Amino acid sequence: RQPELEYVFRHSLTQEAAYNTILLRRRREFHRRVGEAIESLFSDRLEEFYPVLAHHFHRAGDPRALRYHIAAGDAAFSLFAIAEALNHYSHALEIAETDSESSAEQLQHIYLRQGRCQELQNDYRAAQATYDELRAAAQQLDDQEMGLTALLARATATIVPSRAQDTTAGGQLLDEAIQMARALGDEATEARAQWNTLILHLYSGHARLGIPAGERAVMLARKLGLRELLAHANQDLGLVYMGSGRMADARRALAEAETLWREMGNLPMLAENRANLTLDRVLTARFSEAVDLAHESRQISEQIDNRWGQVNSRVFIPMAYLAQGDFDTTSLESTEGIRLGDEVGHPAYILNRVWQSQVYAAVGDDQRALALAVEANKK
């Protein structure tokens, strides 16, 4: 009862019943007054109340809800609370699409963040649909820059390995994006498109063909001070360098990416960096270092509940155990990699079946080894 009298409902149904007895107009007024009271009382630390303010102004039908839903979504996104962030962005989008006062910048930000959340939930079909909606909005607004941004986001969500992957369509979208970026003199977007071209080649079996695009992406990102893009391009280029036997270049690229990810606090990409470097340690027979890197990648991914990253951490490490004759651990790691990989559509489900096949072959179970090899080949 101190410092002031409060009433607490013992059951949510009681609260709901009481709430529904209030006329809608009065409810909206109450929500507006609560939101304004919070703004006034806690003006020096509003960031703590973004979700509450978004709720009250949304229920009040107040245009301030848009700003607070975006802020709450961004705060949740930065903490990797993806489901919560997606909920706020969905509400923000509903408001922005009907609010004539919302800006093109706000609309683009919401669509891109909503799509990225869907990607992080491994729902690439939903992400593709979101980017198509952004592209349609750009056409309505006759905004070429927004249209280019939407086109590139759509291309990215199309080429990334998933159940919605289409490398042919993705390649066409990327070519269109590069030409459009050059026509607009937009080097930043061209850099992103070049990085995606590297990814396209990486995941379509022609990794070396993507090196020129990756190196141009790194050059443009460095020139323009695009730190996040520089980290992304270096990370993927490092993997391609490794596959091409350019180990020194690979380590340099991955080391620069690691530094940037740590500085930016980007945990999903740091986990991927550690997983990629595991391959270097396996190929150079530094198996204990490989195990440490794989464990670091896994711990980060489990900390933020990133199942894609958990699969990444199991892509290369079975090779280390297999090379040392530790068939039990190889089997455990690859079995879990298959289970998680099948759940999220990660291409590692193929490699992990290969490792399993090799284990069975090593212990003389040729029939099961052949069955797994055939299954991996089909996939």
Side-chain angles (χ1 to χ4, degrees):
R1 296 176 180 272
Q2 298 296 329
E4 60 187 39
L5 183 65
E6 283 186 357
Y7 292 94
V8 178
F9 290 96
R10 290 183 178 275
H11 198 287
S12 59
L13 289 177
T14 312
Q15 179 187 19
E16 184 179 347
Y19 182 80
N20 288 330
T21 63
I22 306 171
L23 293 174
L24 179 59
R25 186 174 61 183
R26 288 287 287 162
R27 267 187 263 165
R28 288 178 173 170
E29 175 63 15
F30 287 152
H31 280 295
R32 182 188 63 78
R33 288 168 60 186
V34 170
E36 290 177 345
I38 292 172
E39 284 185 322
S40 175
L41 290 168
F42 306 107
S43 59
D44 58 335
R45 50 191 181 98
L46 279 184
E47 64 278 2
E48 299 176 25
F49 297 91
Y50 286 157
V52 178
L53 288 164
H55 166 75
H56 285 297
F57 284 125
H58 195 157
R59 288 296 185 93
D62 190 292
R64 282 171 284 190
L66 175 61
R67 181 172 82 249
Y68 285 121
H69 271 305
I70 294 173
D74 289 348
F77 186 86
S78 69
L79 296 172
F80 309 106
I82 302 304
E84 181 180 344
L86 188 56
N87 181 56
H88 283 295
Y89 292 134
S90 297
H91 285 311
L93 192 57
E94 291 174 8
I95 298 169
E97 287 177 335
T98 58
D99 183 1
S100 60
E101 298 298 315
S102 62
S103 67
E105 291 77 15
Q106 284 177 318
L107 194 63
Q108 177 173 299
H109 178 78
I110 298 166
Y111 270 118
L112 290 178
R113 279 292 173 85
Q114 177 172 283
R116 183 57 184 149
C117 286
Q118 290 162 335
E119 290 174 5
L120 289 171
Q121 291 185 328
N122 301 304
D123 191 351
Y124 278 87
R125 293 195 190 283
Q128 290 170 4
T130 293
Y131 300 137
D132 285 340
E133 290 173 15
L134 175 58
R135 198 173 181 188
Q139 290 174 343
Q140 281 189 326
L141 296 170
D142 193 24
D143 189 326
Q144 285 188 300
E145 287 77 12
M146 182 188 288
L148 175 57
T149 299
L151 173 61
L152 182 54
R154 179 63 161 88
T156 303
T158 304
I159 65 173
V160 169
S162 73
R163 292 186 176 91
Q165 183 187 42
D166 185 336
T167 54
T168 300
Q172 293 170 350
L173 290 170
L174 283 174
D175 288 342
E176 184 181 348
I178 289 172
Q179 294 306 315
M180 189 174 177
R182 288 176 174 171
L184 294 173
D186 188 344
E187 287 189 324
T189 302
E190 184 197 340
R192 292 186 176 87
Q194 295 286 3
W195 163 51
N196 276 272
T197 301
L198 168 68
I199 295 173
L200 172 65
H201 288 297
L202 176 62
Y203 291 121
S204 59
H206 309 286
R208 293 187 185 187
L209 297 179
I211 290 177
E215 290 177 338
R216 179 161 176 78
V218 167
M219 182 274 290
L220 288 172
R222 203 185 304 283
K223 169 187 171 183
L224 300 171
L226 302 173
R227 295 170 71 244
E228 185 173 2
L229 178 59
L230 179 60
H232 275 298
N234 263 315
Q235 185 134 306
D236 293 317
L237 194 55
L239 199 58
V240 175
Y241 281 147
M242 209 180 301
S244 304
R246 296 169 58 177
M247 304 305 288
D249 288 333
R251 290 170 196 143
R252 174 191 51 75
L254 288 170
E256 183 174 10
E258 178 196 354
T259 298
L260 290 167
W261 294 136
R262 291 191 188 278
E263 288 175 356
M264 291 183 283
N266 191 321
L267 296 181
M269 297 313 302
L270 178 61
E272 182 177 305
N273 179 276
R274 306 288 79 195
N276 288 356
L277 199 57
T278 301
L279 178 59
D280 169 73
R281 300 303 191 263
V282 171
L283 294 176
T284 52
R286 289 180 282 176
F287 298 129
S288 62
E289 293 180 33
V291 170
D292 290 342
L293 285 163
H295 284 171
E296 182 185 358
S297 174
R298 187 173 313 167
Q299 287 170 356
I300 295 170
S301 299
E302 289 174 349
Q303 173 189 335
I304 60 175
D305 193 27
N306 184 339
R307 289 186 298 162
W308 188 273
Q310 291 173 42
V311 180
N312 277 339
S313 72
R314 292 175 169 87
V315 174
F316 304 121
I317 198 58
M319 296 168 64
Y321 293 117
L322 191 63
Q324 297 175 91
D326 186 347
F327 301 141
D328 286 343
T329 308
T330 303
S331 183
L332 286 171
E333 291 285 352
S334 55
T335 297
E336 186 63 6
I338 290 171
R339 185 186 70 80
L340 288 169
D342 286 350
E343 281 183 9
V344 301
H346 196 298
Y349 53 53
I350 300 173
L351 273 177
N352 278 298
R353 282 175 168 81
V354 172
W355 311 142
Q356 281 276 37
S357 175
Q358 292 189 8
V359 168
Y360 286 127
V363 299
D365 191 341
D366 295 338
Q367 186 174 356
R368 293 179 74 177
L370 180 60
L372 275 166
V374 169
E375 187 179 355
N377 190 52
K378 287 179 179 178
K379 289 182 174 291

